Amino acid sequence: MKKLLILLLLTSVTLAACSPQATPQLITMETNLMKFQPAMIEVKVGQPVKMTMRNSDSVDHDFSIMEIPTSKISSTAESVAGHDMGSGGTAKEPQLHIAVAMGKSGTLEFTPTKPGTYEFFCTVAGHKEAGMKGTLVVK
Ligand SMILES: [Cu+2]
């Protein structure tokens, strides 16, 4: 009987640990002088991420990840006029993307669904090459 009780307790602890956490993981990202700060973000799988991106630079920037399994993506950004992610037509669109005009800020919400290491970068021509890239780690 005692063993059964312990087993029940263990089961409920395990269930509690696995239940989805609705509390968003808040991240503040700043772009300035052609850099993402921080250049490395770590988040937990299955937990919503709410990232606020502030663009303190004097040019428009964006935050993009080409391929990342997510659910529930939404963004509220001050629109960037004529932001076309480096036209050409053949380029694949990033799965996660938020563009923020100079001096503005925006929020991007998403829930990562698969652990891994994902590269983020700015799609504005020449910016990634200038150092606008970083790493998102989903644990
Ligand atoms: Cu940029």
Side-chain angles (χ1 to χ4, degrees):
M1 190 57 197
K2 205 169 187 179
K3 260 188 184 162
L4 183 66
L5 192 65
I6 289 167
L7 191 67
L8 281 172
L9 276 171
L10 281 176
T11 309
S12 56
V13 166
T14 311
L15 283 175
C18 291
S19 66
Q21 292 165 280
T23 323
Q25 314 176 73
L26 301 175
I27 291 167
T28 306
M29 174 63 73
E30 185 177 13
T31 50
N32 196 14
L33 306 169
M34 285 286 177
K35 275 190 169 65
F36 285 107
Q37 294 166 334
M40 163 126 170
I41 315 170
E42 202 179 289
V43 294
K44 286 184 206 142
V45 71
Q47 194 179 345
V49 175
K50 185 174 183 180
M51 186 182 83
T52 301
M53 178 164 142
R54 195 172 71 224
N55 184 0
S56 309
D57 225 338
S58 51
V59 283
D60 298 344
H61 289 306
D62 63 61
F63 173 99
S64 302
I65 296 179
M66 287 311 287
E67 275 181 63
I68 179 168
T70 55
S71 61
K72 293 179 240 163
I73 300 177
S74 70
S75 66
T76 55
E78 311 248 1
S79 64
V80 177
H83 187 83
D84 62 355
M85 298 192 291
S87 58
T90 52
K92 239 173 86 183
E93 292 208 350
Q95 291 182 344
L96 205 57
H97 178 79
I98 183 175
V100 184
M102 60 179 113
K104 306 282 185 186
S105 61
T107 36
L108 174 67
E109 290 179 63
F110 62 97
T111 304
T113 54
K114 201 178 167 203
T117 302
Y118 307 92
E119 179 190 59
F120 63 80
F121 64 101
C122 177
T123 64
V124 178
H127 287 200
K128 184 184 178 186
E129 292 72 19
M132 286 203 76
K133 58 184 177 179
T135 309
L136 172 76
V137 178
V138 180
K139 295 218 155 180

